[in-house]
Amino acid sequence: MSAKILVLYYSRHGSVRALARAAAAGVESVSGCEAALRTLPAVSTVCEATQSDLPASGDIYATLDDLESCDGLLLGSPTRFGTVAAPLKYFFEQSAGLWLAGALDGKPGGVFTSTGSQHGGQESTLLSMLLPLLHHGMLIVGIPFSGTGLADTAAGGTPYGASHVAGANADSTLTADERRFAEILGRRVAQCAVAVDAAALKE
């Protein structure tokens, strides 16, 4: 079975983007699975401000069609005082039509984040990101302690999702553990999507 996994993220300084790419590598390590990397524009405080439909560089902006057509979702955000960043919240606030249609019901989803410090709100941010996924009826995928080395890491990594400690100046690169956890999360979401699709075909 093949599956398209939407890797949707907002990144201010590049740390969440690095996690997104690692998660995408995990997705594509599963035979027949494709990672679709998409980002979001910043939310402006200026009401008249407009954003181009295409970013100047990097991954293209996500649309609700991307969300509707995916077989699974990996969602990434920096922490904003212990919760999800505004661009992702704004995007999901526009998804009521997909919720009414049950478009994401039964599809697997996982989350990832980056913070400036070890205690900068990683787990509360990840938990806040899971709330819209639960409302959409998605199957939540995390990172197990068994067989992953999660209990031994001194950097990012939680059972709720992948994470990175970027440092006060957001200049720290992913550690080997942080990259591996993001890849594990991507691989697990892809594997779940394949299994869900296979089960649907048998019905």
Side-chain angles (χ1 to χ4, degrees):
M1 296 298 301
S2 63
K4 183 179 79 172
I5 308 302
L6 176 60
V7 185
L8 172 60
Y9 69 93
Y10 172 70
S11 187
R12 183 76 178 270
H13 299 293
S15 296
V16 178
R17 180 174 61 244
L19 282 170
R21 281 163 170 50
V27 168
E28 296 191 340
S29 71
V30 178
S31 179
C33 289
E34 170 193 1
L37 281 155
R38 298 289 186 271
T39 189
L40 293 168
V43 173
S44 175
T45 57
V46 181
C47 295
E48 293 80 10
T50 59
Q51 192 87 24
S52 170
D53 290 338
L54 293 172
S57 62
D59 300 312
I60 63 174
Y61 293 138
T63 66
L64 291 177
D65 288 341
D66 291 320
L67 192 59
E68 181 177 18
S69 64
C70 74
D71 297 300
L73 174 66
L74 285 154
L75 190 63
S77 172
T79 187
R80 292 292 181 263
F81 298 101
T83 190
V84 64
L88 278 168
K89 189 172 186 299
Y90 179 73
F91 182 78
F92 268 91
E93 285 176 355
Q94 300 174 71
S95 68
L98 299 184
W99 170 72
L100 286 169
L104 298 176
D105 190 8
K107 296 179 180 180
V111 294
F112 54 96
T113 191
S114 177
T115 57
S117 68
Q118 186 74 40
H119 304 290
Q122 289 188 357
E123 293 186 344
S124 61
T125 299
L126 292 169
L127 289 168
S128 74
M129 292 168 68
L130 291 174
L131 296 179
L133 276 58
L134 287 164
H135 275 265
H136 274 284
M138 300 193 79
L139 307 175
I140 302 305
V141 178
I143 301 173
F145 280 97
S146 58
T148 64
L150 188 61
D152 302 317
T153 182
T158 82
Y160 312 109
S163 63
H164 167 57
V165 181
N169 297 315
D171 55 1
S172 296
T173 59
L174 300 185
T175 68
D177 278 347
E178 290 170 342
R179 183 174 304 280
R180 184 166 52 84
F181 294 140
E183 291 175 355
I184 288 170
L185 183 64
R187 184 166 62 250
R188 283 170 59 83
V189 168
Q191 289 169 336
C192 286
V194 170
V196 167
D197 286 349
L201 283 177
K202 292 178 181 177
E203 291 181 355

